[in-house]
Amino acid sequence: MLGLTDSIVILASLLLVVGAVMRAAGKKQSDSEYFLAGRDLRWPFVGMSLLASNISAEHVIGMAGDGYRIGMVAGGYEWVASWCLIILATLFAPLYLRSKIYTIPEFLERRFGWGLRAFLSGNLLVMNVLTKNAIDLWAGSLLFVWLFGWNQMAVMIVLSAFTAIYTMKGGLRAVVYADMVQGTWLILSSVVLVVAGLFAVGGWQGLTAKVSPDLIQMVKPLDAELPITGFLFSNLLAGMFYWCMDQTNVQRVLGARSVEQGQKGAIFAGFLKLSIPFILVLPGVIAHALYPNLERYDAAYPRLVQNILPVGLRGVVLAGLIAILMSSMSACYNSSATLVVRDFVMRYQPHLSEAKQLSIGRRVTALMAVFGVLAAPLVGLSVTIWHYLQLISAYLSIPLSAVIFVGLLWKRGNTAGAIAGGVAGFGLGMFLFLDETLKWSLPVLSHPYMHSFLHRTFFVWLFAAGVMIAVSLMTAPPHHAKVEGNVFTISKDGSKGLSDYRTWAVVLFACTIVLWWAFR
C-alpha cells in the first residue's frame, strides 16, 4: 500500500506542477498567449515539451508491456521518431513558423483549400480522443487499480478534471512550463526503476542470461511482428504525420521564438528520444526475467514498482508517471481547443474577440476531459495498450501523411488529388485494419510478410500517394498562390558550426545508426 513518504513525494510533484502553472498564468492572456505561449518559447522548452507531450502513461505502462511480450524491439518507434524530428526541423518547421499559423490545418488551407483543412482538423480531434486522451486515462488509472485497488473510473475522473483545470488556467505556456518539470521527473524516476530492476535481476549479464536473445535484439526479419523494414519505411512515413503534422506535438514548435529555436528544439527532442527504449521498454524485459508468468503483459510495470522499490522511491516513480500523464493530457486538451477555435469557430466568426476565443477554448478543454473518460474503456479491449496505440494510429494517420508530404514536396499536387488520395487511402487502411483485427485472413494478406501492420500500412501510404499523383495529373494544376511559399525548401546558408541545428541533426542521425547496429 501507499506509504506516508510515497504520498508526500507525490503531493510535492503535484505542487511543482501547480507552481509552474501559476508562474505561467501570471502572463496577460491573449489568443496568441493562450494557444501558442506568445510565440516566445526557447529551444530547451520546445524540446522537453515535445518529449513530455508525447510520452505518457501508455508509453510507461504499454511499452513495458510490449517489452515483456516481444522485447526491446518495441522501442524501435522511438529511434525512428528521432529521424522524424530531423525532418520536422529541416523541412516542416521553416514552412510553419514563417507562415505565422496557429494550427497545421490552417497551413494546409493555404496549400490545398478549406476541404482538406476541415478533414485534417476533424481527424486530429478524433485521434486526440481515441489515441491520446482515452489511452492516457486508461493506462494511468490501471496502475492505481493494480497497486492500490482504487476505483478506476474515479481515478480517471479526478486525473482528467485536475489536468483540465490547470490547462484552462494557463494555456500552452502553462502546459510547456509543466512539461519541463514533468518530463525531467519522468526521466529521473524511470532511471531509478531501471537501476533497481537491473540490481534485482543481477545486472545486464544476469538479465541476458535469464531471457531469450530475441528479447534484446532490435533488428527483426521480414516475417516478424515488427520487422526492421517496417520501421525504416512505414513507421518513418507514419511518424512524419505524428511528429510533423499532428497539432498536439507541432504546437510547441509553432510557439517557438524563431525558426532557429524551433529547429533546435526538435533536434533536442530527438536526442531525448534515444533514451526511451532503455528507460521505458527495458523495465518490461526485466519484468519478463523476474516474473515470467504474468497473466497480462501490461501488468509488468506495476509489478516492478510494487515488488522491487522501497517506500519513498515508489512514490518518486509514481509521481513521475502521474506528472507525465497529466502533461500529455494537457497537451491534448490545449491542442484540441486550438483546433476547434481557430479551424472551425473562427471560420464562421472571424472577428470573434480574444475573450470569446479563450472562453470557447476553455469549454472545449472541459469537453475533451469528459470525452476521454467516456472513450477510455475501449482501450481495455486490446492485447496491450501500446499495440492498440500503434495499430489505430498507423491506419488513421498514414493516408494523410502520404498526401500532405507529396503535396508539400511536389508543386503539381492539387486539392482534388489530395482529397482523393486521402479518402482512398483511408478506405484501404480501414479494410486492412478490419482484416487484421477480425482475422479475415484473405489470401494475399495471409503471406508471412504481410502479417505486420507496418508492412500493410506502407502499402496504404503508396496507394494514397499514387492516387493523389494520378488525380492531380488528370485535373488542373494548382494556382500559383497555392504553391508559392507553401512547399519545401532547403536552406543553403553556410554552416554555423556547433550552433547550427544541422550539425546536431547529423550527430543525432549517426547515433541512431550506431544504436540499431549495436542491438541488431
Side-chain angles (χ1 to χ4, degrees), residues 288-358:
H288 189 99
L290 295 174
Y291 322 110
N293 299 311
L294 290 180
E295 293 184 1
R296 185 171 176 83
Y297 304 126
D298 286 333
Y301 186 89
R303 179 64 66 87
L304 279 181
V305 173
Q306 186 177 36
N307 288 6
I308 71 173
L309 292 180
V311 172
L313 283 182
R314 187 188 306 169
V316 170
V317 173
L318 289 178
L321 176 60
I322 296 172
I324 207 66
L325 165 64
M326 292 191 302
S327 179
S328 179
M329 288 167 54
S330 65
C332 173
Y333 295 160
N334 187 257
S335 70
S336 298
T338 308
L339 289 168
V340 171
V341 172
R342 301 298 304 191
D343 290 340
F344 294 107
V345 177
M346 292 291 287
R347 177 171 180 80
Y348 300 102
Q349 301 181 54
H351 303 297
L352 196 67
S353 68
E354 289 186 348
K356 284 287 187 181
Q357 292 180 47
L358 301 186

Side-chain angles (χ1 to χ4, degrees), residues 206-501:
L207 176 65
T208 54
K210 291 182 173 67
V211 300
S212 166
D214 288 343
L215 293 181
I216 305 298
Q217 294 170 351
M218 299 274 291
V219 177
K220 300 292 184 179
L222 292 176
D223 58 352
E225 179 180 337
L226 298 177
I228 185 62
T229 47
F231 281 128
L232 298 182
F233 298 105
S234 176
N235 186 226
L236 179 64
L237 296 172
M240 275 199 301
F241 176 86
Y242 190 74
W243 287 106
C244 305
M245 309 169 196
D246 188 328
Q247 180 70 21
T248 300
N249 291 317
V250 183
Q251 192 162 332
R252 282 108 192 87
V253 177
L254 300 183
R257 175 173 292 188
S258 65
V259 174
E260 182 184 22
Q261 292 293 311
Q263 291 172 317
K264 288 182 177 179
I267 299 301
F268 177 46
F271 277 105
L272 293 175
K273 278 297 213 177
L274 298 182
S275 68
I276 300 303
F278 302 108
I279 63 176
L280 295 185
V281 181
L282 186 56
V285 180
I286 294 171
H288 189 99
L290 295 174
Y291 322 110
N293 299 311
L294 290 180
E295 293 184 1
R296 185 171 176 83
Y297 304 126
D298 286 333
Y301 186 89
R303 179 64 66 87
L304 279 181
V305 173
Q306 186 177 36
N307 288 6
I308 71 173
L309 292 180
V311 172
L313 283 182
R314 187 188 306 169
V316 170
V317 173
L318 289 178
L321 176 60
I322 296 172
I324 207 66
L325 165 64
M326 292 191 302
S327 179
S328 179
M329 288 167 54
S330 65
C332 173
Y333 295 160
N334 187 257
S335 70
S336 298
T338 308
L339 289 168
V340 171
V341 172
R342 301 298 304 191
D343 290 340
F344 294 107
V345 177
M346 292 291 287
R347 177 171 180 80
Y348 300 102
Q349 301 181 54
H351 303 297
L352 196 67
S353 68
E354 289 186 348
K356 284 287 187 181
Q357 292 180 47
L358 301 186
S359 175
I360 295 171
R362 288 174 177 131
R363 277 181 268 173
V364 172
T365 295
L367 282 175
M368 287 297 295
V370 174
F371 290 154
V373 172
L374 295 177
L378 294 174
V379 185
L381 303 177
S382 179
V383 177
T384 68
I385 294 169
W386 186 243
H387 181 75
Y388 168 88
L389 172 64
Q390 296 304 324
L391 193 67
I392 195 168
S393 295
Y395 282 112
L396 283 174
S397 65
I398 201 78
L400 287 170
S401 173
V403 300
I404 294 172
F405 184 72
V406 171
L408 298 184
L409 189 68
W410 183 45
K411 295 181 179 181
R412 184 61 176 78
N414 61 21
T415 302
I419 293 175
V423 172
F426 184 81
L428 177 61
M430 286 300 96
F431 175 78
L432 295 178
F433 173 78
L434 291 173
D435 173 77
E436 184 169 352
T437 54
L438 299 180
K439 309 299 182 186
W440 288 346
S441 299
L442 297 177
V444 175
L445 301 177
S446 297
H447 190 281
Y449 292 170
M450 293 298 288
H451 287 172
S452 173
F453 76 92
L454 290 177
H455 283 164
R456 289 170 173 236
T457 52
F458 177 63
F459 285 104
V460 174
W461 194 97
L462 292 177
F463 179 70
V467 170
M468 179 186 178
I469 292 171
V471 173
S472 293
L473 291 174
M474 291 187 293
T475 53
H479 190 275
H480 176 74
K482 292 287 187 184
V483 177
E484 186 64 31
N486 295 326
V487 293
F488 293 137
T489 57
I490 302 293
S491 172
K492 297 180 181 179
D493 296 338
S495 174
K496 301 175 184 177
L498 293 179
S499 64
D500 193 327
Y501 87 93

Side-chain angles (χ1 to χ4, degrees), residues 135-190:
I135 299 177
D136 290 344
L137 286 170
W138 184 264
S141 60
L142 273 181
L143 186 64
F144 294 93
V145 171
W146 285 333
L147 291 180
F148 313 118
W150 293 353
N151 180 275
Q152 187 171 12
M153 182 58 67
V155 172
M156 290 193 293
I157 291 172
V158 171
L159 287 173
S160 188
F162 183 83
T163 306
I165 289 170
Y166 88 66
T167 304
M168 288 188 285
K169 176 66 177 175
L172 182 63
R173 190 177 296 275
V175 173
V176 172
Y177 274 54
D179 283 348
M180 285 297 291
V181 176
Q182 294 160 326
T184 303
W185 198 291
L186 170 74
I187 293 171
L188 294 177
S189 63
S190 298

